[in-house]
Amino acid sequence: MPVSVLARGATAGSPAADEAVRAVFAELREVDRVFSPYRDDSEVSRLGRGELAWSEATPVVREVATRCLRAAELTGGLFDATRPDGYWDPSGLVKGWATERAARLLTAVGGLDWCLNAGGDVVVSCPSGEPFVVGIQDPLDPRAVSTSVRCLSGAVATSGTAARGAHLYDPRTGRPTASGWLSVSVIGPSLETADVLATAAFVAGSLEIVDHTDRYCALAITADSSRATTVGWPR
């Protein structure tokens, strides 16, 4: 997963900023070591093979499991970390949770505006009051931007099939998601929640779940490039 940090301000080139960026990457590498379902030695993989009992899992894994249950409750079951084959795979939550957690390391550097981008999911903080402009990728052309939003703080998360193909399933049926949408992007204060809501809305084929969630708004893009938005999406 590509990860980048964009920083500006009087302290952007300081040793403190450099150290914070290194700490961000170290934090994300550690999360990958623990949670990646593609690593045979990760705790997630060991749990899946039955080599590790839940009672033996580290506190951070149990914390994420609790967050996954809360996400399922928030979305009425549209988000579910347990796959149809019974394998527990929290990747759909871990990406946003881990990026948001790592981003807090950047807030310790005074006088710094920053934008942390992890695989297209973005966390922003601009104490200067000058926003970053965050592009929303065109799901039909990965080299193009469909639209952009100005962000002073908070997060932008996108879910869909453009980057990874058809990888989402509908927990209600256990089958791959059938949707006329190509992507759903959600803006809000928390990247973890925005990512979960984007996934749930894409699975549902409806933005209603975002519309009913305070402080979050969404944009959906269809195969014919038409758009649907919730109230509050910036024009």
Side-chain angles (χ1 to χ4, degrees):
M1 178 180 70
V3 178
S4 63
V5 179
L6 178 62
R8 69 184 181 202
T11 58
S14 68
D18 289 344
E19 180 59 31
V21 171
R22 284 193 292 270
V24 165
F25 280 87
E27 172 75 14
L28 294 176
R29 284 193 294 268
E30 175 62 13
V31 168
D32 181 72
R33 184 189 69 80
V34 174
F35 288 99
S36 174
Y38 305 107
R39 294 178 59 130
D40 288 339
D41 60 344
S42 73
E43 284 198 42
V44 166
S45 294
R46 293 174 64 206
L47 284 165
R49 294 194 299 266
E51 298 172 2
L52 185 71
W54 275 104
S55 59
E56 300 170 321
T58 55
V60 71
V61 171
R62 295 198 295 271
E63 176 193 345
V64 165
T66 299
R67 289 177 178 270
C68 286
L69 292 175
R70 291 174 183 164
E73 182 179 358
L74 172 68
T75 62
L78 289 168
F79 176 92
D80 192 340
T82 302
R83 300 188 321 213
D85 61 5
Y87 190 95
W88 186 66
D89 181 358
S91 300
L93 181 135
V94 164
K95 181 183 176 185
W97 163 79
T99 303
E100 188 170 11
R101 190 173 76 155
R104 294 180 184 135
L105 296 166
L106 298 169
T107 62
V109 184
L112 187 70
D113 290 353
W114 51 263
C115 175
L116 173 57
N117 184 331
D121 289 345
V122 176
V123 188
V124 168
S125 177
C126 301
S128 71
E130 178 65 29
F132 281 111
V133 178
V134 178
I136 306 293
Q137 185 184 59
D138 184 342
L140 292 172
D141 183 356
R143 299 166 299 178
V145 173
S146 177
T147 188
S148 62
V149 292
R150 293 165 63 85
C151 292
L152 272 174
S153 65
V156 183
T158 298
S159 183
T161 58
R164 296 175 56 192
H167 66 286
L168 298 174
Y169 70 92
D170 189 334
R172 298 168 298 183
T173 64
R175 299 177 61 82
T177 298
S179 175
W181 290 349
L182 294 181
S183 69
V184 176
S185 297
V186 175
I187 301 173
S190 164
L191 181 57
E192 177 184 340
T193 302
D195 207 4
V196 165
L197 289 173
T199 298
F202 186 87
V203 168
S206 168
L207 298 181
E208 184 177 359
I209 190 171
V210 183
D211 227 356
H212 292 168
T213 306
D214 189 33
R215 301 174 67 195
Y216 291 84
C217 56
L219 162 74
I221 301 176
T222 66
D224 64 1
S225 297
S226 63
R227 303 178 184 182
T229 61
T230 62
V231 175
W233 183 266
R235 301 296 179 181

